[in-house]
Amino acid sequence: MKRLLLVALLGLFLLPEQAQAQRRNRRSAPIRMGVTFGVKGGAAFTSLVGGVTEANRPVRKYTVSTKPVVGGLVNYRFTQQLSVQSEILFAPRGSKYSETLVVSPIKTTVTNWKATFTYVDVPVLFKFNAKIFYVEGGAVLSALLSDELENTDNTKLTFADQVNGLDVGYCIGAGVEHPSGGIFGVRFVRSSSSIGREAAPLFAGNQGMENQAIQVTGGFIFNHSGGGRRRR
């Protein structure tokens, strides 16, 4: 996970260098006020967090899974610096994890699982732009389309009614938004509470699990420039 973050952050610093080189060759058009729209896509490095840690109870260890992220965005810009952005993203989540149950000092049982959740995310974000850089933050509503649980015996199960149909979370991020319309960003997304229903045996009490993801995406805003007189 740390290596993936390092690569993503490196991209944030390399893109401005490319943008500066392009501006030396041509002047950029003014940024459009009001509504703009675009598309984006990339990868999400997802995991589950939480789970029981008490003695004689399963202890979960999670590993990161890589999932696709793709969708569209609509942005309303009030000023050159401030805007509100909403998106619709196909954003699967999940993780591989192992459960270790110690019945006695000499008997240990380890079960390996792979959990996959298919969500449609609807983030609502506030963005602050400083030249070509931006930071963002806001809420994420995630509607569950399907779920699947697979163990080492290739037995596939579903969580049935144990998972909430709506996962409410939050996100923060940063990125680069070039005057030509190209965008690149890194975003951290996390559930604000357990994804399972309170009465669900798999998620009850301190077994609650939450979604967590780092999304690295690129895209394009189609009507980013306002046209008209170019800035000097």
Side-chain angles (χ1 to χ4, degrees), residues 21-51:
Q22 292 181 3
R23 283 201 299 270
R24 284 193 291 266
N25 296 327
R26 64 178 183 179
R27 294 176 181 176
S28 59
I31 297 174
R32 180 186 296 272
M33 295 294 101
V35 178
T36 57
F37 58 93
V39 294
K40 63 189 305 185
F45 308 102
T46 74
S47 182
L48 296 168
V49 293

Side-chain angles (χ1 to χ4, degrees), residues 46-125:
T46 74
S47 182
L48 296 168
V49 293
V52 295
T53 57
E54 294 180 347
N56 298 325
R57 297 287 299 279
V59 177
R60 297 189 180 124
K61 292 185 179 180
Y62 303 101
T63 59
V64 175
S65 295
T66 303
K67 307 288 185 182
V69 179
V70 64
L73 64 90
V74 176
N75 183 283
Y76 186 86
R77 189 180 291 266
F78 300 98
T79 69
Q80 291 287 319
Q81 290 77 37
L82 299 176
S83 64
V84 175
Q85 182 165 301
S86 182
E87 303 171 0
I88 298 180
L89 303 173
F90 174 74
R93 304 221 225 294
S95 177
K96 294 179 180 179
Y97 67 95
S98 62
E99 286 188 332
T100 303
L101 177 62
V102 180
V103 179
S104 66
I106 59 173
K107 186 177 180 180
T108 301
T109 302
V110 178
T111 306
N112 294 310
W113 299 92
K114 179 182 178 181
T116 302
F117 303 95
T118 303
Y119 286 101
V120 171
D121 285 1
V122 183
V124 179
L125 311 164

